[in-house]
């Protein structure tokens, strides 16, 4: 990471998420987009829309999402009156994977291959042409995110030129939900059924009281490997 970006990250680290988002939008619009999937991302959309109207938002449709998640995407589109660019997996790559390994190969040989086809490839298309993107990652979500900066050069995408903002890096899950309730922000109805971190239906389950939020994702794998590849640069 360049010294100028290191300085920028250090200066922004103590700022509010709203200040970080405002800085990001002012500096990179129109070549910046907010990645949307979960509760944190809707908080970012809510904050961004209160700063300016011309925000860009994208989401990834893996083809394996919960029905509640599809309805949630439309709810956000209508509630904020925004366009949401939906990126889907390549048909040929998906059909090849399913033909060769079936629909649930990830239970046996890990989720990396499936996530590569259904998430990574669409994400690359979503990021193509952007100078920066905004994510809802937090440090306390996973051991692999404990050192997450609020702004960085994306370590996995963009060839060293794509800037990645994580405005909620220093927030806790409690702060996220406090903002949601205080600002009447819509949320995925699966949260009312014990789900905290929500991904694809076969790879997500509710957590019990006392469990970490990411324990409901790829529960058969190691706790330190709970990244689908979208943020693979977090893995040491």
């Amino acid at each position: 990471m360049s010294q100028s970006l290191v300085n920028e990250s250090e200066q922004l680290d103590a700022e509010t998420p709203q200040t970080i988002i405002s800085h990001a939008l002012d500096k990179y619009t129109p070549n910046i987009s907010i990645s949307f999937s979960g509760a944190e991302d809707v908080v970012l959309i809510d904050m961004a829309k209160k700063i300016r109207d011309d925000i860009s938002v994208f989401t990834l449709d893996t083809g394996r999402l919960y029905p509640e998640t599809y309805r949630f995407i439309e709810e956000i589109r209508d509630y904020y009156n925004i366009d949401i660019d939906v990126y889907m997996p390549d048909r040929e790559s998906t059909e090849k994977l399913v033909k060769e390994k079936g629909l649930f190969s990830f239970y046996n040989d890990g989720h990396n291959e499936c996530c590569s086809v259904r998430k990574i490839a669409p994400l690359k298309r979503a990021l193509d042409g952007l100078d920066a993107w905004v994510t809802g990652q937090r440090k306390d979500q996973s051991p692999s995110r404990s050192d997450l900066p609020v702004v960085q050069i994306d370590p996995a995408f963009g060839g060293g030129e794509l800037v990645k903002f994580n405005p909620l890096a220093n927030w806790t899950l409690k702060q996220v939900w406090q903002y949601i309730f205080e600002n009447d922000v819509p949320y995925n109805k699966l949260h009312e059924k014990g789900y905290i971190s929500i991904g694809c239906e076969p790879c997500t389950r509710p957590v019990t009281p006392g469990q970490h939020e990411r324990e409901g994702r790829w529960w058969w794998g190691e706790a330190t490997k709970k990244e689908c590849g979208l943020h693979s640069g977090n893995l040491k």
Side-chain angles (χ1 to χ4, degrees):
M1 188 159 65
S2 68
Q3 187 58 48
S4 62
L5 202 61
V6 170
N7 294 339
E8 184 177 349
S9 181
E10 290 175 349
Q11 292 170 3
L12 291 172
D13 189 66
E15 298 291 348
T16 65
Q18 290 92 333
T19 298
I20 298 168
I21 294 172
S22 180
H23 168 82
L25 295 176
D26 287 346
K27 187 172 182 177
Y28 291 102
T29 298
N31 296 319
I32 183 171
S33 191
I34 300 171
S35 173
F36 160 53
S37 63
E40 289 83 2
D41 309 318
V42 187
V43 168
L44 296 174
I45 292 172
D46 188 82
M47 291 177 176
K49 277 290 286 185
K50 290 174 178 175
I51 295 169
R52 58 192 300 161
D53 284 328
D54 59 338
I55 65 170
S56 171
V57 178
F58 74 86
T59 192
L60 307 178
D61 176 7
T62 64
R64 306 296 295 267
L65 304 179
Y66 284 90
E68 290 89 343
T69 300
Y70 287 112
R71 288 192 286 269
F72 180 48
I73 293 171
E74 290 307 299
E75 181 182 5
I76 297 305
R77 188 197 305 271
D78 294 338
Y79 187 86
Y80 290 103
N81 190 29
I82 58 173
D83 292 329
I84 299 178
D85 295 319
V86 180
Y87 290 86
M88 302 178 182
D90 174 72
R91 179 181 62 81
E92 291 185 3
S93 299
T94 307
E95 290 178 355
K96 181 176 183 294
L97 173 64
V98 172
K99 182 177 181 179
E100 293 178 353
K101 293 196 169 184
L103 289 166
F104 301 98
S105 61
F106 36 81
Y107 290 138
N108 299 315
D109 58 12
H111 61 81
N112 288 341
E113 186 175 13
C114 185
C115 286
S116 178
V117 170
R118 294 182 181 274
K119 290 186 174 183
I120 307 308
L123 177 64
K124 288 180 179 178
R125 299 202 316 272
L127 298 178
D128 185 40
L130 294 180
D131 294 326
W133 64 307
V134 185
T135 86
Q137 293 185 98
R138 305 188 332 269
K139 290 178 180 177
D140 68 343
Q141 282 176 320
S142 170
S144 63
R145 300 181 182 182
S146 60
D147 297 323
L148 186 71
V150 296
V151 59
Q152 61 186 148
I153 289 293
D154 193 307
F157 304 102
E161 297 182 356
L162 181 66
V163 179
K164 184 176 185 179
F165 286 91
N166 310 299
L168 301 180
N170 296 318
W171 267 26
T172 63
L173 180 63
K174 181 179 180 180
Q175 286 174 292
V176 169
W177 281 96
Q178 182 177 353
Y179 183 95
I180 288 173
F181 292 137
E182 289 180 353
N183 292 273
D184 294 322
V185 174
Y187 57 86
N188 193 322
K189 295 303 180 285
L190 287 172
H191 289 301
E192 298 176 351
K193 301 178 181 180
Y195 294 80
I196 301 180
S197 178
I198 302 171
C200 292
E201 185 275 333
C203 303
T204 307
R205 66 182 184 182
V207 295
T208 58
Q211 281 190 305
H212 189 273
E213 62 187 275
R214 297 286 285 184
E215 288 190 50
R217 303 288 296 277
W218 309 292
W219 57 91
W220 62 91
E222 294 180 42
T224 57
K225 300 289 181 67
K226 301 214 171 194
E227 296 285 0
C228 60
L230 302 185
H231 308 295
S232 59
N234 296 331
L235 296 174
K236 303 295 189 294

